[in-house]
Amino acid sequence: MSVHSNLDRDAFQSFLANAYAMQTSGLDTRSLSALVEMQQFITGDEFELHRAMLMMAEHVVKVCNASGGAIALLEGNELVYRAGSGSAANDVGRHVPAVLSVCASDARKEILKVENAECDSRVEAEVCRQFGVSSILMLPIYKKQVLVGVLQVQFSDAHA
């Protein structure tokens, strides 16, 4: 059994379908091109999960002008970083507690946007400091309505 068995082609296709819907919000040509490239790779015969995660991390850094991008999968009560690019490349293999301070009734399938990790109670500021992150976006990755991981876009400056 693969360590990545909790994330598959269908989960990535669903994730990308949602991202593609964002094109109506004014994404530039470079961003749309990256989404199309990912979609073609995922639906093609050469699909391989680790390569798809690495490709996603690389594209997110470019598209968002971020300092780093990573994909972490939930394993028990920890996030385990499986792919990273930019400043997040060295975090691959790292385990951190999966801590998010929100009420269960407030938990929704939405992007977590943290403008300043030092003063946002939804994230652990110390963990963000360890990663060199001042602002962050965390996009949930779901499989059959169950959270299985996150796509993390990190910025070294607050309010980036």
Side-chain angles (χ1 to χ4, degrees):
M1 179 179 223
S2 168
V3 293
H4 302 301
S5 63
N6 62 342
L7 191 63
D8 60 14
R9 184 182 303 218
D10 292 337
F12 259 99
Q13 282 184 293
S14 176
F15 175 78
L16 286 175
N18 291 332
Y20 191 76
M22 291 176 50
Q23 75 175 331
T24 58
S25 66
L27 287 176
D28 61 24
T29 314
R30 180 179 61 163
S31 301
L32 289 174
S33 176
L35 288 173
V36 169
E37 181 183 349
M38 283 296 302
Q39 185 70 38
Q40 288 173 338
F41 174 73
I42 288 170
T43 58
D45 293 334
E46 301 297 316
F47 178 83
E48 193 273 315
L49 181 60
H50 184 264
R51 187 167 162 226
M53 290 190 296
L54 183 56
M55 184 184 290
M56 179 65 74
E58 290 170 348
H59 281 317
V60 78
V61 169
K62 293 175 190 171
V63 169
C64 298
N65 293 318
S67 57
I71 294 181
L73 302 180
L74 274 173
E75 292 184 13
N77 62 353
E78 292 184 316
L79 283 173
V80 180
Y81 287 82
R82 297 293 181 196
S85 181
S87 62
N90 293 330
D91 296 325
V92 174
R94 190 172 190 177
H95 294 238
V96 298
V99 176
L100 181 62
S101 301
V102 296
C103 298
S105 61
D106 291 337
R108 293 171 278 169
K109 296 178 182 180
E110 293 183 0
I111 297 169
L112 172 66
K113 180 180 178 183
V114 176
E115 294 272 344
N116 187 342
E118 288 296 323
C119 58
D120 193 318
S121 62
R122 298 173 298 167
V123 295
E124 295 288 328
E126 178 55 34
V127 172
C128 290
R129 280 193 293 276
Q130 290 174 10
F131 281 88
V133 173
S134 294
S135 57
I136 190 168
L137 295 171
M138 294 185 85
L139 294 79
I141 301 171
Y142 287 90
K143 179 180 180 183
K144 298 181 182 175
Q145 305 299 318
V146 176
L147 181 68
V148 295
V150 294
L151 170 63
Q152 180 175 298
V153 186
Q154 56 194 49
F155 303 88
S156 55
D157 298 322
H159 309 287

